[in-house]
Amino acid sequence: QVPENTVSTLNLVEGNLWVLGLVPRHLQHIDIGTAQGRVAVHEGSISINQNDADTVVQVWNRSATINRRTQLLTLVAGEKVTLQRDHQPLLARITPEQYEETWATKNLANDAVHQREIADMQQKRIAAKAGVLPESGLYPAKRFAEAVDVLFTFNKDAKAGKLISQANTRLNEAAALTFT
């Protein structure tokens, strides 16, 4: 839900807007204010067309939530809604022809490139957190140093913290190896 007291990320007064949301669910969403309500986007590609008469929100992939006065609408991929000032929302499907329109195909292609770039950056960050990977000749030395560090830690809480940190490192190593 989009609380009424939150500040919009941006406000669309008139025109067309394409949004690629790549915000994890546990973080605050992208909030777009329109004349007919607020649109919250966490993930996915959406377009908003705002003119004097209405607001049209189309969800090309993933989902978006619209907070309109006392109504809360959740749209998923392939759905669109037309919001007019004093009328009930008009829900419809995005047609296959609309997916083929140049504006949509171009933006969806750009979104795919950006999603791939972000996935690559995340993989590099995970690999950096993992440090030396099991395929390296230095890996046995890394594991030996970790074991010695735990062996000479006498405080139980500190020892548990180091073991948890090592478990996280193993998970990062596994994740790094699955992407290489």
Side-chain angles (χ1 to χ4, degrees):
Q1 184 171 350
V2 186
E4 286 300 319
N5 60 352
T6 60
V7 177
S8 294
T9 307
L10 62 99
N11 289 303
L12 179 61
V13 177
E14 186 175 339
N16 293 313
L17 175 69
W18 186 279
V19 177
L20 168 61
L22 297 172
V23 183
R25 283 273 171 205
H26 66 280
L27 298 177
Q28 189 172 1
H29 52 270
I30 299 169
D31 183 87
I32 301 137
T34 73
Q36 302 302 323
R38 298 168 73 156
V39 181
V41 182
H42 280 280
E43 306 179 288
S45 302
I46 69 157
S47 63
I48 303 172
N49 177 284
Q50 175 68 57
N51 60 44
D52 290 337
D54 57 30
T55 302
V56 178
V57 179
Q58 297 177 299
V59 178
W60 300 92
N61 66 34
R62 303 288 181 141
S63 66
T65 303
I66 300 164
N67 191 3
R68 184 174 188 237
R69 298 180 197 110
T70 60
Q71 294 178 310
L72 189 64
L73 303 165
T74 299
L75 301 178
V76 295
E79 293 181 332
K80 67 180 179 177
V81 65
T82 301
L83 305 168
Q84 296 177 328
R85 200 169 313 279
D86 295 320
H87 295 84
Q88 285 294 98
L90 178 61
L91 292 166
R93 301 286 305 157
I94 299 173
T95 66
E97 294 78 25
Q98 289 174 302
Y99 273 98
E100 298 300 320
E101 291 176 4
T102 303
W103 190 68
T105 57
K106 189 175 183 178
N107 280 306
L108 287 168
N110 286 338
D111 290 357
V113 169
H114 294 307
Q115 289 170 338
R116 183 72 233 158
E117 289 171 349
I118 289 169
D120 288 345
M121 288 187 316
Q122 288 173 330
Q123 190 276 328
K124 288 176 184 170
R125 193 172 63 244
I126 288 170
K129 280 183 179 180
V132 177
L133 296 175
E135 57 196 13
S136 168
L138 296 174
Y139 190 72
K142 172 185 173 178
R143 293 300 306 268
F144 178 76
E146 289 174 344
V148 169
D149 186 30
V150 170
L151 182 67
F152 288 107
T153 301
F154 301 108
N155 180 295
K156 289 182 181 183
D157 290 339
K159 186 177 281 202
K162 289 181 181 186
L163 290 171
I164 289 170
S165 176
Q166 288 178 15
N168 283 329
T169 300
R170 298 294 88 75
L171 289 171
N172 286 329
E173 290 168 355
L177 290 172
T178 60
F179 291 114
T180 57

